[in-house]
C-alpha cells in the first residue's frame, strides 16, 4: 500500500488538530495507492477511543466510486498497532486495510485484521 | 418501494449490487424484506432481534438508533443507507520510557496473579496493584482526572485554589497534582485524623483545616462546602459527585484490565466513592458482557478505612447501585486477615481496604468452578504501619481491632 507524503501529512495534521482526542477518517485508494483522505468526526471523542462518523450520504457516495476505502484513526501516544479494542470492534471492516497514525511517534502503519488476527501491510510513501 | 444502499463491505452478500430494493413502512419491515430477498445479509445486519452491532442504518440522513430504532418509519420512495459502524481506539495510554513529569506515571499499574490465594487451580485470581501509583494509591488517577477535566472546561484557572474534604488518599493525590500544576490545596479533615495523615498532607504541600471530630467525615464535607460558598476563589473537585472520577476508571483502570486479560468473569473493588466500580465495571462489561461487578462493602458500624457502608446514609451521586451485580459485606476483621494473608502468601503489601476487596474476591472465586476474578487493590500498607494488627496473633487480632480507631 502506498500513502503519498501529501496524503500522509493530511492525516497527521487532522490527528494533531483533534488532540487530546483520537481522530478518524477514511482513506480512498486506487490500485493500493491512497488518493484522498476524508477526515471524519469522532462521535465519542476521548484520548482512547474513536467512533467514525461521516455524513451517511457522503459515505454511501464514496462507496459507489471505484475506490477502495481504508479506515484511519489516530493513537494519541501509543504505537500505531491495533489495540484489543480495535480488534474487537473491527466488525464489517474485517480483512480490509486499517490504518493507524501515532501522533506522539509520528508513525503511520497499515494492518489487516481478520478473525482476531492482526497482519501488517507493507507501507510505502 | 424503498431503495437500500449497500456498502462495499456487504455487497458480496447481494451479488455485488450497490443498491437493492425492499418493501416496508418501518425499518423493521424493510430490513426483514431485505433479508428475505438476500438471506446472506441476515447475520450481518440483524442480531438478537435488533440491528447488528457493526452496522449503522440511516433514514433521512439520521442514524435510526437515535430515532425509533427498528420502529422508525420509512416513507415510500425514501432511501435507507447501510454503513459499517467503525469504532476502536488505543485502549490505554502508552507509557514512555522516560516520563516528563510524575503525572505521566499515573495509571498503567501492574496486574499480578495471586495463585496461592486462589481457592482452586481452575479459578485465576488477579490483583491490580494501584499502590504503585506515584503517591501510592488509586486516587492519583482520580485527582489527575478531576483537575485536568476542570482545567479543560475552563473552570479551574491559575489564581484559583483547590479545596477538598478528605483525610485520606485523595488528599495526598490532589496535593501532588496541585503542587506540580501550581495550585494551592487546602484539605478539610476531622481533627482526630491520625498524625501521619496530617504530616503527609503537609509534606506534600497541602494546607489543613480541621473540622470537629464528633462530626466525622460528614463534618469535613459540610465545612468544605461552607468555605467554598464564602470565597469564589475555591474550586472543590468533590470526588463523590465528579464524573471525571468514574471516567478515569473507565478510560484507565478498566481499559488496562480489558487490554491485559482475555477473560474476566468477576471484578471486585471496594465501595468508596463508587468510581472504580462504575467506571472500570462499565468498561470491562463492554468487553466481557457476562461480567459480574461486585462491591466489597464494610458492615454497617464496622468501618474499613477508605470504604463506605451505604447503610450509613450517604450514597455518592456518581454511584448507580443498579449497576452493581453483587454487594458483599465484609467485616474489618476479615479484611485484616486477608491483607495479612496477602503479604504472607503472595508478598503483596496492601492497605486495609485492599484486604476487604481481596476477602470478597476470594469468596466469589470459591463460588466459581472455573474462571477469572480480578480485584483492585487501592493502596499499599505503608500508611497503616502504625496499626498493631500486622503482627498481632489471631486472638490478639480481634482485640487490636477494637482498640484501633480508624477515623
Amino acid at each position: 500500500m502506498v500513502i503519498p507524503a501529501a496524503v500522509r501529512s493530511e492525516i497527521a495534521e487532522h490527528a494533531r488538530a483533534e488532540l487530546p482526542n483520537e481522530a478518524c477518517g477514511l482513506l480512498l485508494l486506487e490500485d493500493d495507492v491512497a488518493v484522498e483522505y476524508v477526515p471524519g468526526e469522532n462521535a465519542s471523542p476521548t484520548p482512547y477511543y474513536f467512533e467514525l462518523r461521516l455524513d451517511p450520504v457522503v459515505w454511501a457516495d464514496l462507496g459507489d466510486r471505484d475506490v477502495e476505502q481504508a479506515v484511519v484513526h489516530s493513537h494519541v501516544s501509543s504505537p500505531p498497532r491495533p489495540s484489543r479494542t480495535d480488534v474487537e470492534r473491527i466488525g464489517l471492516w474485517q480483512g480490509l486495510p486499517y490504518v493507524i497514525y501515532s501522533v506522539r511517534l509520528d508513525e503511520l502503519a497499515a494492518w489487516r485484521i481478520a478473525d482476531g488476527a492482526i497482519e501488517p501491510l507493507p507501507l510505502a510513501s | 418501494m424503498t431503495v437500500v444502499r449497500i456498502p462495499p463491505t456487504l455487497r458480496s452478500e447481494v451479488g455485488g449490487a450497490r443498491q437493492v430494493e425492499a418493501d416496508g413502512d418501518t425499518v423493521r419491515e424493510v430490513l426483514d424484506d431485505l433479508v428475505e430477498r438476500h438471506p446472506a445479509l441476515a447475520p450481518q445486519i440483524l442480531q438478537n432481534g435488533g440491528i447488528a452491532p457493526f452496522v449503522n442504518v440511516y433514514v433521512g440522513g439520521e442514524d435510526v438508533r437515535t430515532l425509533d430504532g427498528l420502529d422508525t418509519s420509512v416513507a415510500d420512495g425514501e432511501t435507507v443507507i447501510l454503513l459499517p459502524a467503525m469504532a476502536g481506539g488505543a485502549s490505554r495510554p502508552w507509557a514512555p520510557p522516560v516520563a516528563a513529569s510524575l503525572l505521566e506515571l499515573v495509571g498503567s499499574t501492574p496486574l499480578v496473579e495471586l495463585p496461592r490465594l486462589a481457592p482452586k487451580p481452575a479459578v485465576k485470581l488477579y490483583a491490580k496493584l494501584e499502590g504503585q501509583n506515584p503517591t501510592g494509591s488509586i486516587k492519583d488517577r482520580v485527582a489527575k482526572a478531576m483537575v485536568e477535566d476542570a482545567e479543560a472546561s475552563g473552570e479551574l484557572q491559575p489564581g484559583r485554589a483547590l479545596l477538598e474534604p478528605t483525610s485520606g488518599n485523595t488528599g495526598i493525590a490532589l496535593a501532588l497534582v496541585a503542587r506540580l500544576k501550581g495550585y494551592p490545596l487546602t484539605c478539610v479533615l476531622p481533627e482526630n485524623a491520625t498524625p501521619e495523615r496530617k504530616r503527609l498532607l503537609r509534606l506534600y504541600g497541602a494546607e489543613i483545616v480541621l473540622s470537629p471530630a464528633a462530626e466525622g467525615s460528614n463534618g469535613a464535607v459540610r465545612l468544605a462546602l461552607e468555605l467554598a460558598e464564602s470565597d469564589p476563589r475555591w474550586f472543590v473537585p468533590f470526588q463523590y459527585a465528579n464524573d471525571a472520577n468514574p471516567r478515569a476508571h473507565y478510560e484507565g483502570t478498566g481499559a488496562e484490565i480489558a487490554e491485559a486479560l482475555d477473560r474476566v468473569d468477576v471484578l471486585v473493588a471496594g465501595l468508596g466513592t463508587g468510581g472504580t466500580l462504575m467506571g472500570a465495571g462499565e468498561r470491562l462489561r463492554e468487553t466481557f458482557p457476562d461480567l459480574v461487578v461486585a462491591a466489597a462493602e464494610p458492615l454497617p458500624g464496622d468501618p474499613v478505612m477508605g470504604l463506605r457502608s451505604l447503610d450509613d446514609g450517604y450514597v455518592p451521586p456518581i454511584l448507580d447501585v443498579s449497576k452493581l451485580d453483587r454487594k458483599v459485606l465484609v467485616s474489618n476483621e476479615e479484611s485484616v486477615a486477608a491483607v495479612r494473608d496477602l503479604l504472607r502468601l503472595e508478598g503483596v503489601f496492601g492497605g486495609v481496604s485492599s484486604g476487604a476487596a481481596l476477602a470478597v474476591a476470594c469468596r466469589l472465586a470459591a463460588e466459581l468452578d472455573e474462571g477469572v476474578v480480578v480485584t483492585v487493590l487501592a493502596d499499599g500498607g505503608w500508611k497503616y504501619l502504625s496499626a498493631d494488627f500486622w503482627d498481632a496473633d489471631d486472638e490478639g487480632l480481634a482485640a487490636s481491632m477494637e482498640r484501633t480507631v480508624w477515623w
Side-chain angles (χ1 to χ4, degrees), chain A residues 22 48-52 56 59-61 63-64 66 71 75 77-78 83-86 88-89 91-93 96 104, chain B residues 5 8-9 11 18 44 54 58 61 83-84 86-91 93-94 251 258-259 261-262 283 286-287:
Chain A
E22 293 193 355
Y48 317 120
Y49 195 67
F50 82 92
E51 200 183 320
L52 175 60
W59 196 350
D61 287 346
D64 288 351
D66 277 332
V71 165
H75 283 179
S77 62
S78 59
S83 66
R84 176 185 292 251
T85 310
D86 294 332
E88 281 175 359
R89 312 284 164 99
L92 298 181
W93 221 257
L96 293 173
R104 191 182 62 82
Chain B
R5 299 185 70 176
T9 44
R11 285 180 193 160
R18 293 180 169 183
Q44 307 277 23
F54 293 121
Y58 299 85
L83 285 169
M86 280 314 303
S91 295
W94 180 78
E251 294 174 356
E259 190 71 13
L261 295 173
D262 292 324
R283 175 61 191 85
E286 286 176 8
T287 300

Side-chain angles (χ1 to χ4, degrees), chain B residues 120-183:
Chain B
K120 49 193 107 167
V123 179
K124 302 283 179 206
L125 181 61
Y126 295 93
K128 184 96 171 131
L129 304 183
E130 290 300 311
Q132 306 238 3
N133 277 298
T135 75
S137 90
I138 196 166
K139 295 301 185 183
D140 287 356
R141 296 178 185 271
V142 177
K144 182 184 174 201
M146 292 194 300
V147 169
E148 292 187 345
D149 183 66
E151 285 179 329
S153 72
E155 199 176 350
L156 181 57
Q157 289 172 341
R160 293 198 75 184
L162 299 170
L163 178 71
E164 182 81 358
T166 166
S167 59
N169 287 323
T170 306
I172 296 162
L174 275 172
L176 171 71
V177 176
R179 168 155 281 190
L180 291 180
K181 287 179 175 280
Y183 302 104

Side-chain angles (χ1 to χ4, degrees), chain B residues 127-394:
Chain B
K128 184 96 171 131
L129 304 183
E130 290 300 311
Q132 306 238 3
N133 277 298
T135 75
S137 90
I138 196 166
K139 295 301 185 183
D140 287 356
R141 296 178 185 271
V142 177
K144 182 184 174 201
M146 292 194 300
V147 169
E148 292 187 345
D149 183 66
E151 285 179 329
S153 72
E155 199 176 350
L156 181 57
Q157 289 172 341
R160 293 198 75 184
L162 299 170
L163 178 71
E164 182 81 358
T166 166
S167 59
N169 287 323
T170 306
I172 296 162
L174 275 172
L176 171 71
V177 176
R179 168 155 281 190
L180 291 180
K181 287 179 175 280
Y183 302 104
L185 167 71
T186 298
C187 290
V188 183
L189 48 137
E191 57 194 348
N192 59 339
T194 63
E196 287 101 322
R197 293 282 149 153
K198 294 175 189 163
R199 174 170 286 178
L200 202 45
L201 282 169
R202 287 199 178 101
L203 283 172
Y204 267 106
E207 295 282 324
I208 288 177
V209 171
L210 295 173
S211 58
E215 292 181 38
S217 53
N218 288 343
V221 170
R222 179 192 55 77
L223 183 56
L225 296 180
E226 274 175 25
L227 287 169
E229 255 177 46
S230 68
D231 185 347
R233 193 172 65 99
W234 294 119
F235 168 71
V236 187
F238 202 50
Q239 58 170 341
Y240 291 96
N242 192 321
D243 288 335
N245 172 359
R247 206 178 321 126
H249 294 295
Y250 177 89
E251 294 174 356
T253 323
E256 291 164 24
I257 296 168
E259 190 71 13
L261 295 173
D262 292 324
R263 173 178 178 178
V264 180
D265 298 286
V266 181
L267 172 74
V268 182
L271 182 60
T273 63
T276 310
L277 289 157
M278 293 295 106
E282 184 182 349
R283 175 61 191 85
L284 282 171
R285 203 176 267 126
E286 286 176 8
T287 300
F288 309 107
D290 298 326
L291 177 79
V292 170
V293 176
E297 183 180 334
L299 290 168
D302 183 25
V304 176
M305 189 164 199
L307 300 189
R308 154 177 313 280
S309 164
L310 295 179
D311 291 340
D312 287 347
Y314 180 72
V315 179
I318 59 166
L319 175 66
D320 177 354
V321 180
S322 73
K323 290 190 176 156
L324 299 177
D325 303 300
R326 299 280 298 264
K327 196 165 69 102
V328 183
L329 294 174
V330 58
S331 70
N332 216 334
E333 202 176 333
E334 268 179 290
S335 307
V336 168
V339 84
R340 284 172 56 172
D341 285 347
L342 179 66
L343 182 55
R344 185 168 55 86
L345 295 171
E346 304 281 5
V348 177
F349 190 32
V352 193
S353 80
S354 297
L358 179 65
V360 170
C362 288
R363 247 194 273 171
L364 298 186
E367 291 178 8
L368 299 176
D369 295 326
E370 47 109 40
V372 174
V373 177
V374 177
T375 182
V376 179
L377 305 184
D379 68 357
W382 308 100
K383 295 189 209 88
Y384 313 89
L385 269 178
S386 64
D388 50 7
F389 59 72
W390 292 107
D391 39 22
D393 57 29
D394 284 349

